[in-house]
Amino acid sequence: MEKAQQKLELITKYFGDFNPVQLQQFAALDELYNDWNSKINVISRKDMESLYEKHVLHSLAIATAFEFKPGSTIVDLGTGGGFPGIPLAIFFPEVKFLLVDSIGKKLKVVDAVAEALGLKNVTTRHTRIEEIKDKKFDFVVSRAVAPLKDLWQWSKPLLKKPQPNSENQKPGLICLKGGDLSQEISESGCRPRLMEVYEIFSEEYFKEKYMLYVSV
């Protein structure tokens, strides 16, 4: 647990307003993912030592730029081991998250982690995102799952219509990506707002990491 507390400092360095339950939940991620990853490989083995930097903190970049309102609904497209969905669900306990993946064994890990953390605002669905027809969401979040063109094509039908004269951020796709994105953005036909994660978090890992936001 002491080791987890040290890793937790990487998060509390940037976020100072967590309650004791949230701090406990973030601290528990280390042991939970190490345990589950030894049974079902959902995170690359070499990344496990950097879980808090490469997965948890990276996911929370979204929370620095977007204020999800209580009661809003978010779908995590291709959640894998639960990123960015699980860290965001801890951060926004009054927001509802649906974590979607086409690989069932990954969702088994996500379900177990959410249950162990006591997250009441997380549900999962074993499906392809384009097969969801019964729900609309305020935001779609995703991390390096597919090219922007595909992500936007899948996301558009799932997003709520923007409210006229609303001061809230418009419904849209928020995705975390890395590297040179110029061609990918050009091919997508989108005009995303591009934010550099390195301007938010100073760790070397976040150089050439970006957050893209495409609104409806």
Side-chain angles (χ1 to χ4, degrees):
M1 188 53 88
E2 190 177 323
K3 187 174 155 191
Q5 289 296 346
Q6 287 174 349
K7 293 178 179 179
L8 200 55
E9 286 171 12
L10 190 63
I11 293 169
T12 54
K13 171 180 168 182
Y14 295 104
F15 300 98
D17 49 359
F18 292 127
N19 62 40
V21 172
Q22 288 171 306
L23 287 172
Q24 200 173 356
Q25 288 169 327
F26 279 122
L29 291 174
D30 186 51
E31 191 176 338
L32 283 167
Y33 274 104
N34 269 291
D35 181 41
W36 272 103
N37 214 51
S38 65
K39 304 170 195 167
I40 298 173
N41 192 16
V42 291
I43 295 170
S44 98
R45 300 265 193 255
K46 63 180 181 359
D47 273 7
M48 278 309 300
E49 266 305 302
S50 316
L51 176 74
Y52 282 85
E53 179 182 51
K54 294 183 179 179
H55 296 278
V56 183
L57 188 60
H58 193 196
S59 298
L60 292 177
I62 292 171
T64 68
F66 296 88
E67 180 58 49
F68 298 149
K69 303 294 181 194
S72 57
T73 53
I74 317 291
V75 60
D76 180 357
L77 187 167
T79 190
F83 301 98
I86 292 282
L88 290 173
I90 296 173
F91 195 99
F92 295 106
E94 293 177 26
V95 172
K96 294 173 184 166
F97 289 85
L98 175 64
L99 277 52
V100 174
D101 206 280
S102 60
I103 300 172
K105 69 177 183 179
K106 291 185 177 181
L107 292 179
K108 182 180 176 183
V109 176
V110 174
D111 284 331
V113 169
E115 187 178 350
L117 296 174
L119 292 175
K120 307 291 187 204
N121 59 335
V122 170
T123 53
T124 61
R125 194 181 289 193
H126 179 207
T127 187
R128 300 183 71 81
I129 194 80
E130 55 269 40
E131 288 165 11
I132 296 179
K133 310 286 187 193
D134 60 332
K135 286 179 181 289
K136 296 283 185 186
F137 301 89
D138 294 291
F139 293 94
V140 176
V141 297
S142 185
R143 198 169 76 129
V145 168
L148 182 60
K149 181 181 179 180
D150 296 333
L151 290 175
W152 184 234
Q153 189 180 336
W154 296 331
S155 299
K156 257 192 306 190
L158 294 174
L159 291 165
K160 294 177 181 175
K161 287 186 167 61
Q163 297 296 314
N165 307 319
S166 170
E167 291 181 5
N168 294 342
Q169 286 159 315
K170 285 184 179 178
L173 163 69
I174 306 160
C175 55
L176 298 167
K177 285 181 164 288
D180 183 354
L181 301 172
S182 50
Q183 185 175 347
E184 186 175 327
I185 290 171
S186 171
E187 289 172 353
S188 74
C190 301
R191 297 180 63 185
R193 180 181 161 207
L194 195 68
M195 295 158 265
E196 287 191 52
V197 179
Y198 190 60
E199 289 183 0
I200 305 166
F201 304 139
S202 60
E203 280 71 22
E204 199 74 13
Y205 172 72
F206 296 111
K207 282 188 173 177
E208 295 195 3
K209 295 279 190 292
Y210 301 94
M211 183 163 36
L212 286 71
Y213 168 52
V214 186
S215 64
V216 292

